[in-house]
Amino acid sequence: MSLEARHTQRIVKAVHGLRGKPVDPAYQQGLAEDLKNTYGQAGLIELYGRFSNGDGFVDTLMRRAILQALSRRCGSGLQVGANAVFKHPETFEIGDGVFIGAQANIQGRYDGTCRIGNNVWIGPQAFIDARDVVIGDDVGWGPGAKILGSTHSGMPVDVPIIRTDLEIRPVRIEAEADIGTNATILPGVTVGRGAIVGAGAVVVSDVEPYSIVAGVPAQFLRWREDPPVRAKNVEV
């Protein structure tokens, strides 16, 4: 292969990001309601395990319907990959058109907050500590990327760290941000609207809207656009 051929790039249309408003089959909402009324929360969690690892029509349908039944709120067009894992899904609020990849792990808390906006794409093997997490609309979440939403206090020092109190800090990923493969967002961080976090970055502090950061710890590289664009004040 020539050097020129190896460095030729292709530009193709986005897939998930250009989906229209998804519409579920007419029977799916009724199925979710029937499952909720029949099984209850504990039964639904056990039932999910029966359909968690297949890629066929029935398995994917049942994962969607069961998560809809378990969630506090769930929009249309949900896609859930094989072996995705959820803890305390009864606290989840999920928008329309959300994709959750295979082996993703979203761990809520019984008294927590987990809000995932419309048209969010969460890649395979992602880990989201969802004790206090809000992900805005149109966020791309790379494969293996992580949110850590809590840390042990480490005090007093004569107690093993794992036995000390947990400090839960809110994490906010604002609309249209993109989180690279294997990046890690630490507790208390806000990633601003339209920002890009590079692959493998460890984000220890807030990321400005429309900025690009990368590295360990993540450092500012450049702005995506001119200052007037960055100045927009649009809520998630």
Side-chain angles (χ1 to χ4, degrees):
M1 182 181 293
S2 69
L3 181 63
E4 180 181 355
R6 287 202 303 269
H7 289 279
T8 299
Q9 67 178 17
R10 299 172 61 217
I11 304 297
V12 299
K13 291 289 187 182
V15 178
H16 180 83
L18 294 179
R19 292 175 65 199
K21 182 175 175 57
V23 178
D24 288 334
Y27 56 79
Q28 185 173 310
Q29 186 60 46
L31 173 61
E33 288 294 331
D34 286 345
L35 290 171
K36 184 176 183 178
N37 294 334
T38 302
Y39 285 91
Q41 182 176 329
L44 284 171
I45 291 171
E46 180 182 357
L47 185 66
Y48 180 86
R50 302 185 197 176
F51 300 97
S52 64
N53 63 359
D55 287 318
F57 174 80
V58 172
D59 292 297
T60 56
L61 168 65
M62 291 300 291
R63 287 198 293 271
R64 292 197 309 268
I66 291 168
L67 191 54
Q68 283 182 317
L70 283 166
S71 300
R72 180 177 296 166
R73 178 178 64 82
C74 186
S76 61
L78 175 68
Q79 299 178 68
V80 182
N83 295 305
V85 177
F86 307 99
K87 185 174 182 179
H88 289 295
E90 73 276 8
T91 66
F92 294 2
E93 299 176 42
I94 302 172
D96 295 325
V98 171
F99 173 89
I100 301 173
Q103 300 179 25
N105 189 331
I106 303 178
Q107 294 197 7
R109 179 181 158 90
Y110 68 92
D111 59 354
T113 296
C114 175
R115 295 206 301 269
I116 300 173
N118 299 320
N119 203 38
V120 170
W121 190 92
I122 297 173
Q125 299 182 340
F127 174 80
I128 297 177
D129 178 350
R131 293 175 174 95
D132 191 348
V133 165
V134 177
I135 298 176
D137 295 343
D138 301 301
V139 166
W141 194 268
K146 302 171 182 64
I147 287 177
L148 305 181
S150 61
T151 184
H152 287 277
S153 68
M155 298 299 291
V157 295
D158 59 344
V159 173
I161 294 171
I162 199 171
R163 296 182 184 175
T164 62
D165 292 342
L166 277 175
E167 299 174 354
I168 297 171
R169 302 176 188 170
V171 174
R172 302 292 182 259
I173 312 297
E174 296 186 351
E176 302 173 14
D178 189 80
I179 311 299
T181 299
N182 289 326
T184 300
I185 312 298
L186 293 190
V189 165
T190 292
V191 175
R193 186 183 186 95
I196 295 175
V197 174
V202 177
V203 184
V204 301
S205 59
D206 291 352
V207 176
E208 289 289 329
Y210 300 100
S211 67
I212 300 174
V213 303
V216 181
Q219 302 290 327
F220 172 83
L221 297 182
R222 62 182 175 87
W223 299 109
R224 287 185 60 202
E225 267 293 353
D226 295 329
V229 176
R230 303 199 310 271
K232 289 180 179 178
N233 183 19
V234 182
E235 294 184 356
V236 175

